[in-house]
Amino acid sequence: MKTLKTRDIIALGFMTFALFLGAGNIIFPPSVGLAAGEFQWSAALGFLLTAVGLPLLGVIALARVGGGLDTLTHPIGKLAGTLMGLAIYLTIGPFFATPRTATVSFEVGMAPFTGNTPEALLIFTIGYFLLVMVLALFPGKLMDNIGKIITPALIAVLAILGIAAFVAPAGDIAAPAAAYDAAGKALAQGFLMGYQTMDALASLVFGILIVASIKAAGVTDTRLHTRYTIYAGIIAALGLGLVYVSLIYLGAMSGTTVPADASGVQILTLYVERTFGTSGIVLLAAVILLACLTTGVGLVSACSAYFSQLLGVKYRTVVVVMSVFCAAVANQGLAQLIAVAVPVLVLIYPVAIALIALGLLSKLWRHKARVFIPAMSTALVFGLIDGAKAAGLNVPEVFASLPGSEVGLGWLVPVLVVMVVAGVLDRVRAIPAKA
């Protein structure tokens, strides 16, 4: 029976780390640290919960059910599961996350040299997604191309930046922003900012790529698939945690050197230029390009595999169409992509979190549909309300009185209550006979 050697497991973990480490993972932690000021560690905890904890749990949930997203959503029915799959794949794929990998790469890595012009962005995105397309056409080689070649170089550069953040801070902590001016508020805001990485959603997709890489290495035992997937998730989570902590600290210690409303891109660029000079800008460009490229390849591969199966179209055809579409969306610019994504993420994240929790606890349910359907329906209703609020629409005042609603977590208590009640009722009721 074929097994993976230790070095292969580490390479698999590196590949998983690189798949997750994309645009949002680089640009949002510094802005969280800057805004949180003295409450940076509370904000860091919240950020780690959604940007590290949830992705790890998502990978484990998929590994435990032994399948992809369709297996995890099976209890809510084929139609509802397909709709949720579409929402997740479109969000992390062609509509938001994948185009964002190109725009962040451009603004941090290329704009300082070429100027932030539409023409330069167009040329860059064409070249970027041409490279993504070529790499995504061979998904079975992901572990070799990313885990053993690209990721070690990425980790080396990130280590230099992370160590520098602690050894040579840019300045000192400034007063926290109003939304972060208490430990509890900073924790909640960090939790919500973790949504922007989209990694909890990506975890429900990347599990398929991880298992495909394991199979490509010749491992056929499904129990080993589960075990190695969990190992890879843990390695990736440790790496992401170290990156986030260092970047949040970097942002917090830049409070006296950058404007209070500086973006993560601006914070990183100013810090690196101040600390390393022109060579630092090149270093940062390398970090961003490698991080975004690996994530872009992973997302295009996973989304293409999903839509290929769903639509009955050849995988390579979907890769080409997906790459072209993402290049077109990327030319809307980074600020526009972030602004439009916020309401969508606030809407979909409660449903995704509920799905991950239900999947992890699936062995507790006698008849899964009796718990999955009411809990996820509740998450969807409150997600729609929070999404409408994030989009600037008026919502009934009654929802504003729910615990956590002032920081976008009004869905949490209702979903927990419904899950517990449905779980208890499921345990005391008979299992329905199969038709």
Side-chain angles (χ1 to χ4, degrees), residues 61-62 64-84 204 351 354-377 422 426 432:
L62 281 181
R64 290 191 63 179
V65 301
L69 182 59
D70 56 341
T71 305
L72 194 59
T73 59
H74 179 74
I76 64 176
K78 186 174 182 179
L79 177 60
T82 300
L83 290 175
M84 181 162 187
L204 300 174
V351 186
L355 177 63
I356 291 172
L358 290 163
L360 289 170
L361 300 173
S362 60
K363 292 184 179 180
L364 297 178
W365 323 127
R366 302 180 68 194
H367 186 64
K368 295 177 183 178
R370 295 192 300 212
V371 185
F372 273 67
I373 292 175
M376 291 184 65
S377 297
D426 172 62

mmCIF file of all heavy atoms in Angstrom, residues 61-62 64-84 204 351 354-377 422 426 432:
data_model
loop_
_atom_site.group_PDB
_atom_site.id
_atom_site.type_symbol
_atom_site.label_atom_id
_atom_site.label_comp_id
_atom_site.label_asym_id
_atom_site.label_seq_id
_atom_site.Cartn_x
_atom_site.Cartn_y
_atom_site.Cartn_z
ATOM 1 N N ALA A 61 -13.598 19.014 8.146
ATOM 2 C CA ALA A 61 -14.981 18.599 7.888
ATOM 3 C C ALA A 61 -15.085 17.836 6.577
ATOM 4 O O ALA A 61 -15.743 16.791 6.492
ATOM 5 C CB ALA A 61 -15.902 19.816 7.870
ATOM 6 N N LEU A 62 -14.427 18.350 5.533
ATOM 7 C CA LEU A 62 -14.448 17.653 4.241
ATOM 8 C C LEU A 62 -13.732 16.306 4.336
ATOM 9 O O LEU A 62 -14.189 15.317 3.758
ATOM 10 C CB LEU A 62 -13.784 18.508 3.168
ATOM 11 C CG LEU A 62 -14.622 19.646 2.567
ATOM 12 C CD1 LEU A 62 -13.816 20.382 1.510
ATOM 13 C CD2 LEU A 62 -15.900 19.114 1.953
ATOM 14 N N ARG A 64 -13.489 14.421 6.916
ATOM 15 C CA ARG A 64 -14.276 13.482 7.717
ATOM 16 C C ARG A 64 -15.430 12.885 6.937
ATOM 17 O O ARG A 64 -15.771 11.716 7.117
ATOM 18 C CB ARG A 64 -14.804 14.166 8.981
ATOM 19 C CG ARG A 64 -13.724 14.499 9.999
ATOM 20 C CD ARG A 64 -14.312 14.913 11.328
ATOM 21 N NE ARG A 64 -15.076 13.821 11.935
ATOM 22 C CZ ARG A 64 -15.688 13.907 13.120
ATOM 23 N NH1 ARG A 64 -15.640 15.034 13.797
ATOM 24 N NH2 ARG A 64 -16.356 12.888 13.600
ATOM 25 N N VAL A 65 -16.058 13.676 6.067
ATOM 26 C CA VAL A 65 -17.174 13.129 5.284
ATOM 27 C C VAL A 65 -16.674 12.351 4.078
ATOM 28 O O VAL A 65 -17.452 11.660 3.412
ATOM 29 C CB VAL A 65 -18.159 14.234 4.832
ATOM 30 C CG1 VAL A 65 -18.738 14.957 6.027
ATOM 31 C CG2 VAL A 65 -17.489 15.231 3.877
ATOM 32 N N GLY A 66 -15.365 12.486 3.787
ATOM 33 C CA GLY A 66 -14.771 11.696 2.728
ATOM 34 C C GLY A 66 -15.192 12.078 1.332
ATOM 35 O O GLY A 66 -15.257 11.237 0.433
ATOM 36 N N GLY A 67 -15.485 13.347 1.114
ATOM 37 C CA GLY A 67 -15.897 13.790 -0.221
ATOM 38 C C GLY A 67 -15.682 15.271 -0.392
ATOM 39 O O GLY A 67 -14.978 15.915 0.379
ATOM 40 N N GLY A 68 -16.329 15.811 -1.401
ATOM 41 C CA GLY A 68 -16.226 17.234 -1.668
ATOM 42 C C GLY A 68 -17.391 17.993 -1.075
ATOM 43 O O GLY A 68 -18.119 17.497 -0.199
ATOM 44 N N LEU A 69 -17.603 19.200 -1.565
ATOM 45 C CA LEU A 69 -18.670 20.053 -1.059
ATOM 46 C C LEU A 69 -20.045 19.419 -1.271
ATOM 47 O O LEU A 69 -20.935 19.558 -0.428
ATOM 48 C CB LEU A 69 -18.606 21.417 -1.753
ATOM 49 C CG LEU A 69 -19.618 22.472 -1.310
ATOM 50 C CD1 LEU A 69 -19.490 22.765 0.180
ATOM 51 C CD2 LEU A 69 -19.437 23.748 -2.125
ATOM 52 N N ASP A 70 -20.217 18.685 -2.376
ATOM 53 C CA ASP A 70 -21.506 18.047 -2.633
ATOM 54 C C ASP A 70 -21.838 17.006 -1.578
ATOM 55 O O ASP A 70 -23.004 16.829 -1.194
ATOM 56 C CB ASP A 70 -21.524 17.428 -4.033
ATOM 57 C CG ASP A 70 -20.376 16.443 -4.251
ATOM 58 O OD1 ASP A 70 -19.391 16.498 -3.487
ATOM 59 O OD2 ASP A 70 -20.467 15.630 -5.194
ATOM 60 N N THR A 71 -20.813 16.306 -1.074
ATOM 61 C CA THR A 71 -21.030 15.327 -0.006
ATOM 62 C C THR A 71 -21.412 16.020 1.293
ATOM 63 O O THR A 71 -22.313 15.577 2.013
ATOM 64 C CB THR A 71 -19.762 14.484 0.214
ATOM 65 O OG1 THR A 71 -19.375 13.878 -1.015
ATOM 66 C CG2 THR A 71 -20.001 13.401 1.256
ATOM 67 N N LEU A 72 -20.748 17.133 1.586
ATOM 68 C CA LEU A 72 -21.020 17.870 2.821
ATOM 69 C C LEU A 72 -22.421 18.469 2.816
ATOM 70 O O LEU A 72 -23.082 18.528 3.857
ATOM 71 C CB LEU A 72 -19.968 18.969 2.999
ATOM 72 C CG LEU A 72 -19.857 19.632 4.365
ATOM 73 C CD1 LEU A 72 -19.546 18.618 5.454
ATOM 74 C CD2 LEU A 72 -18.780 20.715 4.349
ATOM 75 N N THR A 73 -22.896 18.914 1.657
ATOM 76 C CA THR A 73 -24.212 19.549 1.576
ATOM 77 C C THR A 73 -25.327 18.558 1.258
ATOM 78 O O THR A 73 -26.487 18.952 1.105
ATOM 79 C CB THR A 73 -24.215 20.647 0.490
ATOM 80 O OG1 THR A 73 -23.886 20.067 -0.780
ATOM 81 C CG2 THR A 73 -23.227 21.751 0.827
ATOM 82 N N HIS A 74 -25.009 17.286 1.151
ATOM 83 C CA HIS A 74 -26.015 16.277 0.789
ATOM 84 C C HIS A 74 -27.272 16.326 1.667
ATOM 85 O O HIS A 74 -28.386 16.185 1.140
ATOM 86 C CB HIS A 74 -25.390 14.882 0.828
ATOM 87 C CG HIS A 74 -26.346 13.781 0.495
ATOM 88 N ND1 HIS A 74 -26.788 13.545 -0.790
ATOM 89 C CD2 HIS A 74 -26.973 12.856 1.290
ATOM 90 C CE1 HIS A 74 -27.632 12.530 -0.778
ATOM 91 N NE2 HIS A 74 -27.756 12.093 0.459
ATOM 92 N N PRO A 75 -27.142 16.530 2.993
ATOM 93 C CA PRO A 75 -28.355 16.521 3.828
ATOM 94 C C PRO A 75 -29.368 17.616 3.498
ATOM 95 O O PRO A 75 -30.542 17.488 3.865
ATOM 96 C CB PRO A 75 -27.799 16.706 5.253
ATOM 97 C CG PRO A 75 -26.405 16.177 5.179
ATOM 98 C CD PRO A 75 -25.925 16.567 3.819
ATOM 99 N N ILE A 76 -28.976 18.697 2.839
ATOM 100 C CA ILE A 76 -29.945 19.762 2.557
ATOM 101 C C ILE A 76 -30.593 19.589 1.188
ATOM 102 O O ILE A 76 -31.408 20.414 0.768
ATOM 103 C CB ILE A 76 -29.304 21.166 2.645
ATOM 104 C CG1 ILE A 76 -28.225 21.354 1.569
ATOM 105 C CG2 ILE A 76 -28.746 21.414 4.040
ATOM 106 C CD1 ILE A 76 -27.638 22.756 1.551
ATOM 107 N N GLY A 77 -30.260 18.517 0.490
ATOM 108 C CA GLY A 77 -30.884 18.240 -0.796
ATOM 109 C C GLY A 77 -30.027 18.690 -1.963
ATOM 110 O O GLY A 77 -29.183 19.584 -1.829
ATOM 111 N N LYS A 78 -30.254 18.081 -3.118
ATOM 112 C CA LYS A 78 -29.416 18.351 -4.284
ATOM 113 C C LYS A 78 -29.540 19.788 -4.772
ATOM 114 O O LYS A 78 -28.530 20.446 -5.075
ATOM 115 C CB LYS A 78 -29.777 17.389 -5.414
ATOM 116 C CG LYS A 78 -28.854 17.507 -6.620
ATOM 117 C CD LYS A 78 -29.151 16.434 -7.661
ATOM 118 C CE LYS A 78 -28.174 16.544 -8.836
ATOM 119 N NZ LYS A 78 -28.424 15.489 -9.858
ATOM 120 N N LEU A 79 -30.778 20.323 -4.845
ATOM 121 C CA LEU A 79 -30.969 21.679 -5.358
ATOM 122 C C LEU A 79 -30.312 22.708 -4.450
ATOM 123 O O LEU A 79 -29.552 23.573 -4.915
ATOM 124 C CB LEU A 79 -32.461 21.987 -5.509
ATOM 125 C CG LEU A 79 -32.809 23.407 -5.965
ATOM 126 C CD1 LEU A 79 -32.184 23.700 -7.323
ATOM 127 C CD2 LEU A 79 -34.320 23.610 -6.007
ATOM 128 N N ALA A 80 -30.610 22.633 -3.141
ATOM 129 C CA ALA A 80 -30.030 23.583 -2.192
ATOM 130 C C ALA A 80 -28.514 23.443 -2.141
ATOM 131 O O ALA A 80 -27.784 24.441 -2.070
ATOM 132 C CB ALA A 80 -30.629 23.380 -0.801
ATOM 133 N N GLY A 81 -28.020 22.204 -2.209
ATOM 134 C CA GLY A 81 -26.579 21.986 -2.192
ATOM 135 C C GLY A 81 -25.899 22.557 -3.424
ATOM 136 O O GLY A 81 -24.821 23.139 -3.332
ATOM 137 N N THR A 82 -26.554 22.417 -4.578
ATOM 138 C CA THR A 82 -25.998 22.975 -5.811
ATOM 139 C C THR A 82 -25.979 24.496 -5.762
ATOM 140 O O THR A 82 -24.993 25.131 -6.173
ATOM 141 C CB THR A 82 -26.819 22.511 -7.027
ATOM 142 O OG1 THR A 82 -26.778 21.080 -7.110
ATOM 143 C CG2 THR A 82 -26.253 23.102 -8.317
ATOM 144 N N LEU A 83 -27.047 25.099 -5.248
ATOM 145 C CA LEU A 83 -27.107 26.557 -5.133
ATOM 146 C C LEU A 83 -26.017 27.073 -4.201
ATOM 147 O O LEU A 83 -25.371 28.093 -4.488
ATOM 148 C CB LEU A 83 -28.480 26.999 -4.640
ATOM 149 C CG LEU A 83 -29.632 26.814 -5.635
ATOM 150 C CD1 LEU A 83 -30.966 27.164 -4.976
ATOM 151 C CD2 LEU A 83 -29.419 27.671 -6.877
ATOM 152 N N MET A 84 -25.802 26.355 -3.096
ATOM 153 C CA MET A 84 -24.748 26.785 -2.184
ATOM 154 C C MET A 84 -23.382 26.612 -2.829
ATOM 155 O O MET A 84 -22.494 27.466 -2.692
ATOM 156 C CB MET A 84 -24.809 26.006 -0.881
ATOM 157 C CG MET A 84 -23.735 26.453 0.100
ATOM 158 S SD MET A 84 -24.035 25.967 1.791
ATOM 159 C CE MET A 84 -22.676 26.874 2.573
ATOM 160 N N LEU A 204 -13.655 24.833 1.706
ATOM 161 C CA LEU A 204 -14.666 23.904 1.206
ATOM 162 C C LEU A 204 -14.416 23.517 -0.248
ATOM 163 O O LEU A 204 -15.119 22.669 -0.791
ATOM 164 C CB LEU A 204 -16.057 24.546 1.337
ATOM 165 C CG LEU A 204 -16.473 24.909 2.767
ATOM 166 C CD1 LEU A 204 -17.783 25.676 2.770
ATOM 167 C CD2 LEU A 204 -16.568 23.653 3.628
ATOM 168 N N VAL A 351 -23.788 31.051 6.618
ATOM 169 C CA VAL A 351 -24.219 29.765 6.064
ATOM 170 C C VAL A 351 -23.038 28.799 5.981
ATOM 171 O O VAL A 351 -23.161 27.616 6.318
ATOM 172 C CB VAL A 351 -24.854 29.958 4.666
ATOM 173 C CG1 VAL A 351 -25.426 28.639 4.161
ATOM 174 C CG2 VAL A 351 -25.946 31.017 4.713
ATOM 175 N N ALA A 354 -22.069 27.644 9.507
ATOM 176 C CA ALA A 354 -23.043 26.660 9.980
ATOM 177 C C ALA A 354 -22.804 25.308 9.324
ATOM 178 O O ALA A 354 -22.867 24.251 9.978
ATOM 179 C CB ALA A 354 -24.463 27.152 9.693
ATOM 180 N N LEU A 355 -22.510 25.301 8.021
ATOM 181 C CA LEU A 355 -22.259 24.055 7.301
ATOM 182 C C LEU A 355 -21.031 23.335 7.853
ATOM 183 O O LEU A 355 -21.055 22.112 8.055
ATOM 184 C CB LEU A 355 -22.072 24.347 5.812
ATOM 185 C CG LEU A 355 -21.717 23.147 4.923
ATOM 186 C CD1 LEU A 355 -22.843 22.129 4.930
ATOM 187 C CD2 LEU A 355 -21.418 23.604 3.500
ATOM 188 N N ILE A 356 -19.962 24.090 8.100
ATOM 189 C CA ILE A 356 -18.744 23.481 8.651
ATOM 190 C C ILE A 356 -19.022 22.876 10.027
ATOM 191 O O ILE A 356 -18.621 21.742 10.319
ATOM 192 C CB ILE A 356 -17.616 24.524 8.730
ATOM 193 C CG1 ILE A 356 -17.157 24.908 7.315
ATOM 194 C CG2 ILE A 356 -16.432 23.987 9.536
ATOM 195 C CD1 ILE A 356 -16.186 26.081 7.283
ATOM 196 N N ALA A 357 -19.717 23.633 10.888
ATOM 197 C CA ALA A 357 -20.033 23.139 12.233
ATOM 198 C C ALA A 357 -20.896 21.880 12.169
ATOM 199 O O ALA A 357 -20.647 20.897 12.881
ATOM 200 C CB ALA A 357 -20.739 24.229 13.035
ATOM 201 N N LEU A 358 -21.908 21.897 11.324
ATOM 202 C CA LEU A 358 -22.791 20.742 11.194
ATOM 203 C C LEU A 358 -22.044 19.537 10.649
ATOM 204 O O LEU A 358 -22.283 18.401 11.060
ATOM 205 C CB LEU A 358 -23.967 21.099 10.280
ATOM 206 C CG LEU A 358 -24.981 22.089 10.858
ATOM 207 C CD1 LEU A 358 -25.845 22.672 9.750
ATOM 208 C CD2 LEU A 358 -25.847 21.419 11.918
ATOM 209 N N GLY A 359 -21.127 19.779 9.717
ATOM 210 C CA GLY A 359 -20.339 18.686 9.162
ATOM 211 C C GLY A 359 -19.420 18.056 10.198
ATOM 212 O O GLY A 359 -19.288 16.829 10.270
ATOM 213 N N LEU A 360 -18.799 18.888 11.027
ATOM 214 C CA LEU A 360 -17.911 18.370 12.071
ATOM 215 C C LEU A 360 -18.668 17.556 13.113
ATOM 216 O O LEU A 360 -18.142 16.605 13.688
ATOM 217 C CB LEU A 360 -17.182 19.533 12.755
ATOM 218 C CG LEU A 360 -16.114 20.236 11.915
ATOM 219 C CD1 LEU A 360 -15.652 21.506 12.609
ATOM 220 C CD2 LEU A 360 -14.920 19.316 11.667
ATOM 221 N N LEU A 361 -19.924 17.935 13.358
ATOM 222 C CA LEU A 361 -20.745 17.261 14.365
ATOM 223 C C LEU A 361 -21.685 16.224 13.759
ATOM 224 O O LEU A 361 -22.598 15.746 14.425
ATOM 225 C CB LEU A 361 -21.576 18.304 15.134
ATOM 226 C CG LEU A 361 -20.786 19.385 15.879
ATOM 227 C CD1 LEU A 361 -21.732 20.431 16.440
ATOM 228 C CD2 LEU A 361 -19.953 18.772 16.995
ATOM 229 N N SER A 362 -21.449 15.885 12.495
ATOM 230 C CA SER A 362 -22.417 15.060 11.761
ATOM 231 C C SER A 362 -22.690 13.705 12.414
ATOM 232 O O SER A 362 -23.783 13.153 12.268
ATOM 233 C CB SER A 362 -21.939 14.855 10.321
ATOM 234 O OG SER A 362 -20.672 14.207 10.305
ATOM 235 N N LYS A 363 -21.724 13.163 13.147
ATOM 236 C CA LYS A 363 -21.945 11.864 13.788
ATOM 237 C C LYS A 363 -22.929 11.931 14.952
ATOM 238 O O LYS A 363 -23.377 10.891 15.447
ATOM 239 C CB LYS A 363 -20.606 11.289 14.258
ATOM 240 C CG LYS A 363 -19.680 10.891 13.105
ATOM 241 C CD LYS A 363 -18.404 10.234 13.593
ATOM 242 C CE LYS A 363 -17.518 9.821 12.410
ATOM 243 N NZ LYS A 363 -16.265 9.169 12.854
ATOM 244 N N LEU A 364 -23.241 13.149 15.393
ATOM 245 C CA LEU A 364 -24.214 13.307 16.484
ATOM 246 C C LEU A 364 -25.653 13.215 15.988
ATOM 247 O O LEU A 364 -26.566 12.954 16.770
ATOM 248 C CB LEU A 364 -24.022 14.651 17.193
ATOM 249 C CG LEU A 364 -22.685 14.882 17.910
ATOM 250 C CD1 LEU A 364 -22.674 16.279 18.510
ATOM 251 C CD2 LEU A 364 -22.486 13.838 19.005
ATOM 252 N N TRP A 365 -25.832 13.465 14.690
ATOM 253 C CA TRP A 365 -27.206 13.546 14.181
ATOM 254 C C TRP A 365 -27.674 12.170 13.690
ATOM 255 O O TRP A 365 -26.986 11.494 12.930
ATOM 256 C CB TRP A 365 -27.300 14.553 13.035
ATOM 257 C CG TRP A 365 -26.449 15.773 13.183
ATOM 258 C CD1 TRP A 365 -25.551 16.275 12.288
ATOM 259 C CD2 TRP A 365 -26.407 16.683 14.297
ATOM 260 N NE1 TRP A 365 -24.961 17.409 12.767
ATOM 261 C CE2 TRP A 365 -25.453 17.685 14.001
ATOM 262 C CE3 TRP A 365 -27.081 16.738 15.521
ATOM 263 C CZ2 TRP A 365 -25.162 18.725 14.872
ATOM 264 C CZ3 TRP A 365 -26.792 17.768 16.400
ATOM 265 C CH2 TRP A 365 -25.846 18.749 16.083
ATOM 266 N N ARG A 366 -28.887 11.790 14.107
ATOM 267 C CA ARG A 366 -29.459 10.521 13.656
ATOM 268 C C ARG A 366 -29.967 10.641 12.225
ATOM 269 O O ARG A 366 -29.821 9.743 11.418
ATOM 270 C CB ARG A 366 -30.595 10.103 14.597
ATOM 271 C CG ARG A 366 -30.157 9.954 16.048
ATOM 272 C CD ARG A 366 -31.325 9.548 16.924
ATOM 273 N NE ARG A 366 -31.769 8.187 16.615
ATOM 274 C CZ ARG A 366 -32.929 7.686 17.041
ATOM 275 N NH1 ARG A 366 -33.758 8.434 17.761
ATOM 276 N NH2 ARG A 366 -33.276 6.448 16.742
ATOM 277 N N HIS A 367 -30.605 11.770 11.922
ATOM 278 C CA HIS A 367 -31.097 12.041 10.568
ATOM 279 C C HIS A 367 -30.652 13.458 10.227
ATOM 280 O O HIS A 367 -31.257 14.439 10.658
ATOM 281 C CB HIS A 367 -32.623 11.921 10.517
ATOM 282 C CG HIS A 367 -33.185 12.046 9.134
ATOM 283 N ND1 HIS A 367 -32.909 11.154 8.135
ATOM 284 C CD2 HIS A 367 -34.009 12.963 8.586
ATOM 285 C CE1 HIS A 367 -33.546 11.502 7.035
ATOM 286 N NE2 HIS A 367 -34.217 12.595 7.278
ATOM 287 N N LYS A 368 -29.566 13.566 9.468
ATOM 288 C CA LYS A 368 -28.869 14.843 9.288
ATOM 289 C C LYS A 368 -29.760 15.960 8.759
ATOM 290 O O LYS A 368 -29.630 17.115 9.170
ATOM 291 C CB LYS A 368 -27.668 14.644 8.365
ATOM 292 C CG LYS A 368 -26.595 13.727 8.939
ATOM 293 C CD LYS A 368 -25.459 13.521 7.946
ATOM 294 C CE LYS A 368 -24.432 12.548 8.496
ATOM 295 N NZ LYS A 368 -23.330 12.305 7.517
ATOM 296 N N ALA A 369 -30.662 15.640 7.858
ATOM 297 C CA ALA A 369 -31.491 16.676 7.241
ATOM 298 C C ALA A 369 -32.321 17.430 8.274
ATOM 299 O O ALA A 369 -32.576 18.627 8.128
ATOM 300 C CB ALA A 369 -32.402 16.058 6.182
ATOM 301 N N ARG A 370 -32.725 16.750 9.347
ATOM 302 C CA ARG A 370 -33.564 17.384 10.369
ATOM 303 C C ARG A 370 -32.799 18.446 11.155
ATOM 304 O O ARG A 370 -33.411 19.283 11.819
ATOM 305 C CB ARG A 370 -34.129 16.320 11.319
ATOM 306 C CG ARG A 370 -35.087 15.355 10.642
ATOM 307 C CD ARG A 370 -35.863 14.504 11.602
ATOM 308 N NE ARG A 370 -35.061 13.670 12.467
ATOM 309 C CZ ARG A 370 -35.449 12.473 12.928
ATOM 310 N NH1 ARG A 370 -36.633 11.987 12.567
ATOM 311 N NH2 ARG A 370 -34.674 11.774 13.725
ATOM 312 N N VAL A 371 -31.475 18.415 11.085
ATOM 313 C CA VAL A 371 -30.671 19.429 11.772
ATOM 314 C C VAL A 371 -30.069 20.409 10.765
ATOM 315 O O VAL A 371 -30.088 21.625 10.976
ATOM 316 C CB VAL A 371 -29.545 18.770 12.602
ATOM 317 C CG1 VAL A 371 -28.787 19.820 13.402
ATOM 318 C CG2 VAL A 371 -30.120 17.710 13.527
ATOM 319 N N PHE A 372 -29.551 19.887 9.683
ATOM 320 C CA PHE A 372 -28.919 20.736 8.665
ATOM 321 C C PHE A 372 -29.883 21.778 8.107
ATOM 322 O O PHE A 372 -29.543 22.967 8.019
ATOM 323 C CB PHE A 372 -28.396 19.877 7.503
ATOM 324 C CG PHE A 372 -27.002 19.338 7.692
ATOM 325 C CD1 PHE A 372 -26.730 18.399 8.682
ATOM 326 C CD2 PHE A 372 -25.964 19.748 6.879
ATOM 327 C CE1 PHE A 372 -25.453 17.884 8.847
ATOM 328 C CE2 PHE A 372 -24.682 19.241 7.026
ATOM 329 C CZ PHE A 372 -24.423 18.301 8.018
ATOM 330 N N ILE A 373 -31.082 21.337 7.711
ATOM 331 C CA ILE A 373 -32.004 22.244 7.015
ATOM 332 C C ILE A 373 -32.451 23.416 7.890
ATOM 333 O O ILE A 373 -32.334 24.576 7.466
ATOM 334 C CB ILE A 373 -33.211 21.463 6.459
ATOM 335 C CG1 ILE A 373 -32.735 20.536 5.324
ATOM 336 C CG2 ILE A 373 -34.287 22.418 5.938
ATOM 337 C CD1 ILE A 373 -33.810 19.623 4.775
ATOM 338 N N PRO A 374 -32.949 23.192 9.126
ATOM 339 C CA PRO A 374 -33.355 24.359 9.925
ATOM 340 C C PRO A 374 -32.192 25.264 10.330
ATOM 341 O O PRO A 374 -32.320 26.489 10.320
ATOM 342 C CB PRO A 374 -34.022 23.731 11.158
ATOM 343 C CG PRO A 374 -33.560 22.324 11.198
ATOM 344 C CD PRO A 374 -33.306 21.927 9.791
ATOM 345 N N ALA A 375 -31.042 24.680 10.665
ATOM 346 C CA ALA A 375 -29.900 25.493 11.095
ATOM 347 C C ALA A 375 -29.370 26.341 9.945
ATOM 348 O O ALA A 375 -29.117 27.544 10.107
ATOM 349 C CB ALA A 375 -28.795 24.604 11.657
ATOM 350 N N MET A 376 -29.223 25.736 8.768
ATOM 351 C CA MET A 376 -28.684 26.486 7.641
ATOM 352 C C MET A 376 -29.700 27.479 7.073
ATOM 353 O O MET A 376 -29.332 28.538 6.574
ATOM 354 C CB MET A 376 -28.204 25.521 6.559
ATOM 355 C CG MET A 376 -26.968 24.732 6.989
ATOM 356 S SD MET A 376 -26.310 23.659 5.693
ATOM 357 C CE MET A 376 -25.808 24.867 4.488
ATOM 358 N N SER A 377 -30.983 27.154 7.183
ATOM 359 C CA SER A 377 -32.017 28.111 6.762
ATOM 360 C C SER A 377 -31.987 29.346 7.647
ATOM 361 O O SER A 377 -32.122 30.482 7.163
ATOM 362 C CB SER A 377 -33.398 27.446 6.811
ATOM 363 O OG SER A 377 -33.483 26.363 5.914
ATOM 364 N N ALA A 422 -32.924 21.687 17.217
ATOM 365 C CA ALA A 422 -33.094 20.689 16.167
ATOM 366 C C ALA A 422 -32.330 19.411 16.492
ATOM 367 O O ALA A 422 -32.806 18.295 16.222
ATOM 368 C CB ALA A 422 -32.627 21.258 14.824
ATOM 369 N N ASP A 426 -34.001 15.830 17.039
ATOM 370 C CA ASP A 426 -33.525 14.739 16.193
ATOM 371 C C ASP A 426 -33.203 13.507 17.017
ATOM 372 O O ASP A 426 -33.468 12.370 16.583
ATOM 373 C CB ASP A 426 -32.284 15.202 15.420
ATOM 374 C CG ASP A 426 -31.620 14.061 14.654
ATOM 375 O OD1 ASP A 426 -32.281 13.512 13.765
ATOM 376 O OD2 ASP A 426 -30.459 13.725 14.943
ATOM 377 N N PRO A 432 -36.753 8.326 10.211
ATOM 378 C CA PRO A 432 -37.781 8.031 9.204
ATOM 379 C C PRO A 432 -37.383 6.850 8.339
ATOM 380 O O PRO A 432 -36.212 6.663 7.996
ATOM 381 C CB PRO A 432 -37.869 9.328 8.388
ATOM 382 C CG PRO A 432 -36.569 10.029 8.610
ATOM 383 C CD PRO A 432 -36.156 9.667 10.003
#
